[in-house]
Amino acid sequence: MRPVNCLPLHRRRALQVGALSGFGLDLPGLLRFEAQADQKEFESRPGPAHSVINIFLPGGIAHQDTFDPKPKSPTEYRGDLEVINTRLPGIQFSHLLPRTATILDRVTLCRAVSHVLADHDAGVHQMYTGYGPSPAIRYPSLGSVVSHEFGPRNNLPAYICVPTKPHRFAGNGYLSTAHGPFGLGSDPAEDGFAVKDLSPPKALNPGRQSRARSLLSLVNKRVDQESDVPRLKAIDSFYQQAYRMIDSPAAREAFDLSKEKATTRNAYGSGAAGMRMLLARRLVEAGVRFVSLEYGSWDGHFNIAPQLAAQVPAFDQALAALITDLDQRGLLKNTLVTVTTEFGRTPRINKSAGRDHWARVFSVLLAGAGIRRGHVHGSSDLTASGPDSGALAPRDLLTTIYHQIGIVAEKELMAPGSRPIEIVKGGRIVKELLETS
């Protein structure tokens, strides 16, 4: 983060301010102008990833019990789970992932993601923003940055969370609340699933709607005059977005899972993993730029084997169905799918038959939108204790994701106090993850 220099107000500077005051620019305005002049600007242009589906596994999934098993390590490290071969020669998965094993030739698996913050909040913050948490500033998440840079499309919000905003660090940070996520307020796996506020109340007939919009128009005129009140403008944008969705049959239909064939629904599975991923596919197909969803609870400090056995199969079925479905529809070429978590689990099984927090190495899966197919990047050591090759920091991962979306991660956005801050600081584009053109 580049600090804004606080220059002393010498006589010449006072004269500058005095001269500029005739143009309506005071000292704070001058300082903001200088900060903006020093801001690193890059134009965001659509990249290979027209949309993103971010699948987050909260709690820290055990990499050695899923994507990176170690069958040759001692029993107290490898656990009791069996391993299976995947579509890629020499690459094995846990036996709990048989379907994902068959689509590994369509994705990239990163087996050496690493950081040092083995705390849930800190780990989540890194994976959503590319930064460690700070008491001084709230950084925006990936979805909010995408919303800021590209805005909504096809009368749908740019950033949607399924079913709701999963974590406080998945929000807009220092950006306007207009770029915060749209939460559904309902889980697509539940009976009677309905998106909040998508349909007007039955008592609100067309006449009342028209009068309400007329009043809103009067308020908007006042808002336009209040250029220094960003919260008012954010509220206005929410109302406009809501009306656009309500008025658009295509936008409303994007949330309607009943439009899917029974065979498709069955392929994904009827539980939370399947229905959330199926809805995510419908949303990006309709034009949503960024969909973030969570599934499961992976903080396995106690009896981790039965916890995994209860959750992984539904995730395995849904993920394989999502990748296959996107590919068959021609959507995978411009939809980036990410499967992430805040950290991994300890190499050695603890006395409670569980695994504790471990940030030194864990696995992440990427697919689509110019990501290499059938590639394994990096490796962990014999006991999955640390990277053996190809280590990636979260900032590298996010910088690469932004690159595929069409956003330069070095670009500086203006934070409160007229502070230009890089979207991600110090990350690199990992070219080994990308298809060669």
Side-chain angles (χ1 to χ4, degrees), residues 33 144 208 247:
F33 178 79
S144 290
R208 292 183 64 187
D247 285 344

Side-chain angles (χ1 to χ4, degrees), residues 100-136:
T100 304
T102 67
I103 55 96
L104 193 58
D105 58 337
R106 307 185 194 190
V107 308
T108 279
L109 176 64
C110 304
R111 276 181 161 174
V113 182
S114 177
H115 63 79
V116 296
L117 302 175
D119 168 80
H120 288 297
D121 281 352
V124 169
H125 192 280
Q126 284 226 93
M127 299 306 292
Y128 272 103
T129 71
Y131 284 91
S134 166

Side-chain angles (χ1 to χ4, degrees), residues 57-359:
L57 306 177
I61 193 169
H63 50 294
Q64 57 278 85
D65 294 321
T66 52
F67 299 113
D68 192 14
K70 300 294 179 179
K72 295 182 180 179
S73 64
T75 304
E76 62 270 26
Y77 289 90
R78 71 172 184 265
D80 297 326
L81 297 178
E82 300 175 3
V83 297
I84 58 173
N85 293 325
T86 68
R87 190 62 63 87
L88 299 184
I91 304 300
Q92 294 183 313
F93 274 178
S94 159
H95 77 281
L96 297 175
L97 291 165
R99 303 190 190 200
T100 304
T102 67
I103 55 96
L104 193 58
D105 58 337
R106 307 185 194 190
V107 308
T108 279
L109 176 64
C110 304
R111 276 181 161 174
V113 182
S114 177
H115 63 79
V116 296
L117 302 175
D119 168 80
H120 288 297
D121 281 352
V124 169
H125 192 280
Q126 284 226 93
M127 299 306 292
Y128 272 103
T129 71
Y131 284 91
S134 166
I137 191 163
R138 294 185 303 123
Y139 294 97
S141 66
L142 259 165
S144 290
V145 172
V146 171
S147 172
H148 179 271
E149 293 301 294
F150 292 112
R153 182 170 55 191
N154 296 352
N155 298 315
L156 286 161
Y159 176 23
I160 294 181
C161 285
V162 180
T164 58
K165 178 181 173 182
H167 198 281
R168 67 182 187 274
F169 297 142
N172 54 287
Y174 58 72
L175 297 177
S176 165
T177 53
H179 302 298
F182 176 81
L184 305 185
S186 182
D187 193 330
E190 295 176 352
D191 293 336
F193 165 65
V195 180
K196 65 176 182 179
D197 304 327
L198 189 58
S199 299
K202 294 180 179 179
L204 190 62
N205 58 46
R208 292 183 64 187
Q209 288 188 52
S210 178
R211 290 193 295 274
R213 294 192 189 194
S214 297
L215 289 172
L216 180 62
S217 179
L218 293 175
V219 173
N220 289 343
K221 290 180 181 178
R222 176 66 177 177
V223 169
D224 289 339
Q225 297 169 6
E226 300 289 345
S227 59
D228 292 330
V229 188
R231 286 190 178 184
L232 290 179
K233 291 191 175 294
I235 292 171
D236 177 46
S237 73
F238 284 137
Y239 277 114
Q240 295 298 337
Q241 180 176 278
Y243 277 129
R244 285 195 296 268
M245 281 201 298
I246 291 171
D247 285 344
S248 170
R252 295 198 306 273
E253 189 172 295
F255 297 93
D256 189 354
L257 288 173
S258 70
K259 302 295 183 181
E260 293 292 331
K261 296 178 180 178
T263 52
T264 302
R265 294 167 66 93
N266 291 337
Y268 279 81
S270 61
M275 291 299 97
R276 292 176 187 181
M277 291 191 207
L278 177 55
L279 181 60
R281 191 225 77 208
R282 287 187 62 84
L283 292 175
V284 299
E285 191 173 32
V288 177
R289 296 188 186 275
F290 198 99
V291 180
S292 189
L293 68 92
E294 282 195 345
Y295 169 69
S297 178
W298 307 93
D299 197 19
H301 293 280
F302 308 95
N303 296 319
I304 192 170
Q307 291 181 28
L308 292 169
Q311 296 184 97
V312 174
F315 164 75
D316 173 57
Q317 177 181 354
L319 179 62
L322 175 65
I323 299 299
T324 302
D325 197 9
L326 288 170
D327 209 11
Q328 290 176 346
R329 291 171 182 265
L331 294 172
L332 195 60
K333 64 184 179 183
N334 53 32
T335 302
L336 177 56
V337 180
T338 67
V339 180
T340 63
T341 188
E342 63 258 48
F343 44 61
R345 313 302 300 185
T346 48
R348 191 182 185 110
I349 296 174
N350 63 29
K351 294 180 180 179
S352 300
R355 298 185 190 268
D356 301 313
H357 302 175
W358 193 259

Side-chain angles (χ1 to χ4, degrees), residues 7-31 33-34:
L7 300 178
L9 189 60
H10 297 307
R11 181 174 179 273
R12 177 177 295 177
R13 193 161 179 80
L15 290 173
Q16 290 175 338
V17 175
L20 289 169
S21 64
F23 297 96
L25 192 62
D26 55 9
L27 179 57
L30 175 62
L31 293 174
F33 178 79
E34 290 179 340

